[in-house]
Every structure is written in C-alpha cells, then in structure tokens.
Amino acid sequence: MAERAEETGKETRRREPAVVRAKAVGLLAGIAGWVGRLIALVLVLHVVLVMGNANPDNPIANLVRGLAEPLSLAFKTLFTPEDAKLGLLVNYGLAAVFWLVVTSVVVRLIRRLG
C-alpha cells in the first residue's frame, strides 16, 4: 500500500508541470475571451445609448462613448449614410463583431499553442 502511494506521488509530480501549464493556458485563454467580450459589450452599449437617445452629457454615456470610440478602430467611419444613427449602428456593430471574431481566433490559438 505504501508503494502505491509513492508511485501515485511520483506520477503526480511528473504530471504537475503539465497540469500547471494547462491551468495557466486555460486562465490566459479565459482572460483573453473576457477582454474581447467586454470590448464588444462596450461597443454595443454605445450603440444602444445612442439609438435610445441617451443624454450625451450624462457621465455614463460620456464614459461609454469615450471607451467605444478608440475600440471601434477604422470601423468608425467605414460607412457614411445620411442617417448618422444608422452609420453608428452599422459601423460600431461591425466593430463589435470584429472583436468577437478576433477574440475567438486568439483564444483558439492560445489553447492550441499552450
């Protein structure tokens, strides 16, 4: 019985670096996934606030706009229809989809390379 415990202990020690690495890779992939989803959420929230005619001077609307503008990247002015709200909906919506796709690819790469 004592031999089995030692063998089990040795096996556990041999596997420990692989287990630690797997946990670290999983944690990193999880963090990357949440960051991408939060970016997309900020973009969608900005669209909802603008489409819902939120007061642009409100601190929350102002904060969301300030966060969303740099995250929209080059999508901000991709389409320029006459209706500014439609343009914002399409451009920021595409930016949100872009971030979700990029996040998905990055998470898969992290898991595959890890």
Side-chain angles (χ1 to χ4, degrees), residues 39 42-43 46 61-72 92:
I39 290 171
V42 167
L43 292 167
H46 178 58
N62 203 4
L63 173 68
V64 172
R65 183 180 65 240
L67 292 172
E69 285 183 1
L71 296 174
S72 65
Y92 281 70

Side-chain angles (χ1 to χ4, degrees), residues 83-99:
D83 184 6
K85 284 187 176 182
L86 176 63
L88 183 120
L89 173 67
V90 172
N91 293 333
Y92 281 70
L94 283 173
V97 170
F98 167 79
W99 279 109

Side-chain angles (χ1 to χ4, degrees), residues 7-18:
E7 288 177 13
T8 304
K10 289 179 185 177
E11 288 176 15
T12 303
R13 278 186 242 136
R14 276 188 243 140
R15 292 182 188 170
E16 191 171 308

